[in-house]
Amino acid sequence: MRESLDFTINNIPEFKEKLLAWLGKQKPAIYLDNNSEFKYGKQTTDYHSFDCLAATGSIETLKVQTGQAFHQLKILHNKSKDWLFGHLSYDLKNELENLSSTKPDYLHFPEIHFFRPKFIFILKGNLFQILFLKKNNTHTLIRQIFDDINNLEINNNSVQRKNIYFSEKISKNEYLEKLNEILAHIQHGDIYEINFCQEFYSENTRINPVNLYRRLKQVSPTPFSSYYNFDNNFCLTASPERFIAKRGRKIISQPIKGTIRRGKTKSEDLKLIAQLKTDKKERAENIMIVDLVRNDLARTATFGSVRVEELCGIYSFPQVHQMISTISSELDKKYHFTDAIKNAFPMGSMTGAPKIRAMELIEKYESTKRGIYSGAIGYIDPNGDFDFNVVIRSLQYNKSRKYLSYIVGGAITSMSIPEKEYSECLLKAEAMLKAFK
């Protein structure tokens, strides 16, 4: 069982910076921040349990490359009844369905990685808690950790000292050609919708991951932001999207489909919000995924408990407005909580509909293996409650290979115009690129 020591924080933004900087010197480490100082509305306030949650150190680790990942996760949690932090890779699809991934992988994130941490840090309001195992630690040691964090000097020079240039895996013309082929599949009734992505990359690149994440968070504060490192792998996300969460017996999923830029003035902003809200293409994309998520949740839900709490709500973020829906269900007692995650994975917003055929075509037309991108990062608590984001608007980095990457994409439907889809990809990449300026 864990004990906790509580501390009162006066300057919360400054302390969060210090905690992040301290975590940057630890491995493995994870920092989850909902940036609650920015008011995003129902999409975050209803279901977040913490303002900031972090962990470091490893008592034991789960890292499975192929097969039985969800079963092993279930065993680990049942055995420890403790906190677990980590990620699920998109390519876990291959153990859930008769699928494969043969595309090149330049980042080499494992398909699943979870660790049971030595220390857990919870910030809610101005209350800061450190959770620890009493048999291995003393109150004196925990107070020393707090003092080390609190006394840290922050280097606010988070701008890269050296310019970093990204190359495209496929050219714009190749992207447009592939999109026209995908549209032919839609026109022939093969699929209704597909999420098609492309990668931009930088080789022989050295970065300071903490400073880069800090900068990313400054230019794009989002409700599912995360800094995550283990071994030589780093994932820095400014994700606006929740994949799936559990609170008691309640399961919540909040897919995003529908994007439009922010306006330069308040008046233009309001016009763009109204435009997104009534856009037939964007609403069709969102509603199709809502139906898919309803079906995914129903597989582990008590009869009649699946409901749409909000359909096509509009939420504003620093670079874009997004259309977000909220679907919930009650987990049937005959299912383990890992079954709810497994049956909803990968998230419909990053695949398409029908899901399996969309994933087959993603494998055919995309140029690289997705890996952790469009997977999920998050936590599981001792009671089996959990919260996972969708890994989008993110930078992936393999330190040993000096390979830095980001992937962007969008939903393709029969109403998609290839040139506009390409422009939407660049809009979504804007936050990542601003972090380097």
Side-chain angles (χ1 to χ4, degrees), residues 145-423:
I145 290 173
F146 174 76
D147 289 341
D148 289 345
I149 296 170
N150 205 36
N151 295 330
L152 206 59
E153 292 291 330
I154 299 299
N155 175 16
N156 287 317
N157 182 17
S158 60
V159 180
Q160 289 292 127
R161 295 184 180 277
K162 178 181 169 185
N163 287 335
I164 291 177
Y165 300 97
F166 287 91
S167 302
E168 55 195 14
K169 279 288 185 221
I170 59 173
S171 68
K172 180 180 179 181
N173 285 339
E174 287 176 295
Y175 175 89
L176 298 177
E177 286 173 11
K178 286 174 182 280
L179 216 56
N180 282 318
E181 291 181 44
I182 288 169
L183 284 169
H185 282 281
I186 294 172
Q187 288 157 6
H188 290 129
D190 203 8
I191 50 170
Y192 302 109
E193 179 177 341
I194 186 171
N195 188 279
F196 178 58
C197 300
Q198 58 176 319
E199 181 189 8
F200 296 82
Y201 68 99
S202 179
E203 295 181 297
N204 297 313
T205 298
R206 295 181 186 276
I207 63 168
N208 181 319
V210 167
N211 280 354
L212 185 55
Y213 171 70
R214 181 186 293 127
R215 179 65 180 153
L216 182 63
K217 207 158 77 76
Q218 287 170 351
V219 299
S220 187
T222 56
F224 300 98
S225 170
S226 61
Y227 165 88
Y228 175 48
N229 88 60
F230 63 96
D231 300 333
N232 283 300
N233 302 106
F234 295 81
C235 187
L236 322 174
T237 75
S239 176
E241 184 171 358
R242 171 182 274 126
F243 162 42
I244 193 169
K246 177 176 173 286
R247 300 289 179 264
R249 304 302 300 175
K250 186 172 185 177
I251 304 293
I252 308 105
S253 185
Q254 294 179 300
I256 292 180
K257 273 287 161 275
T259 305
I260 200 167
R261 67 178 177 84
R262 293 297 303 262
K264 294 180 180 178
T265 64
K266 187 174 181 179
S267 174
E268 185 187 17
D269 224 23
L270 292 173
K271 287 179 182 177
L272 290 167
I273 288 172
Q275 182 181 329
L276 177 60
K277 195 169 187 176
T278 57
D279 190 300
K280 290 182 180 179
K281 172 187 174 291
E282 305 286 16
R283 288 184 66 87
E285 286 179 12
N286 195 292
I287 291 168
M288 271 191 263
I289 298 307
V290 167
D291 283 341
L292 191 155
V293 172
R294 288 173 65 237
N295 182 68
D296 286 347
L297 296 191
R299 295 166 72 182
T300 56
T302 58
F303 182 77
S305 68
V306 178
R307 69 187 191 95
V308 179
E309 295 188 4
E310 182 179 32
L311 184 65
C312 299
I314 307 300
Y315 294 85
S316 300
F317 300 94
Q319 273 76 41
V320 293
H321 302 292
Q322 303 269 205
M323 187 179 285
I324 304 175
S325 292
T326 299
I327 308 100
S328 67
S329 68
E330 180 183 296
L331 182 64
D332 193 307
K333 290 181 180 178
K334 68 184 178 184
Y335 293 106
H336 193 266
F337 73 81
T338 55
D339 294 321
I341 304 171
K342 178 180 177 180
N343 280 290
F345 194 84
M347 60 290 301
S349 62
M350 297 305 296
T351 58
K355 186 186 271 191
I356 294 174
R357 184 57 179 147
M359 290 190 287
E360 290 173 343
L361 293 176
I362 285 169
E363 176 66 20
K364 178 178 179 179
Y365 288 107
E366 291 185 1
S367 58
T368 53
K369 192 173 182 179
R370 285 191 181 183
I372 196 173
Y373 175 79
S374 72
I377 292 172
Y379 72 88
I380 303 166
D381 79 7
N383 296 318
D385 282 0
F386 56 76
D387 209 344
F388 287 92
N389 70 6
V390 177
V391 180
I392 52 175
R393 322 287 162 84
S394 59
L395 292 157
Q396 286 77 240
Y397 182 56
N398 186 306
K399 185 177 180 180
S400 61
R401 294 172 178 267
K402 295 182 283 188
Y403 187 89
L404 180 65
S405 165
Y406 69 86
I407 300 177
V408 286
I412 311 303
T413 68
S414 61
M415 292 181 276
S416 292
I417 300 169
E419 283 279 354
K420 287 183 73 174
E421 295 295 340
Y422 188 82
S423 296

Side-chain angles (χ1 to χ4, degrees), residues 4-10 15 121-132 139-147 150:
S4 72
L5 279 184
D6 298 353
F7 305 88
T8 300
I9 306 303
N10 296 318
F15 184 79
F121 308 94
I122 299 174
L123 182 64
K124 191 168 185 178
N126 66 349
L127 175 65
F128 180 66
Q129 295 179 297
I130 302 180
L131 277 57
F132 59 96
H139 285 202
T140 302
L141 174 62
I142 301 306
R143 288 192 180 93
Q144 183 60 56
I145 290 173
F146 174 76
D147 289 341
N150 205 36

Side-chain angles (χ1 to χ4, degrees), residues 31-44:
Y31 174 91
L32 308 173
D33 191 349
N34 69 18
N35 292 290
S36 55
E37 59 270 34
F38 298 89
K39 305 302 181 186
Y40 300 111
K42 177 184 173 66
Q43 187 243 357
T44 61

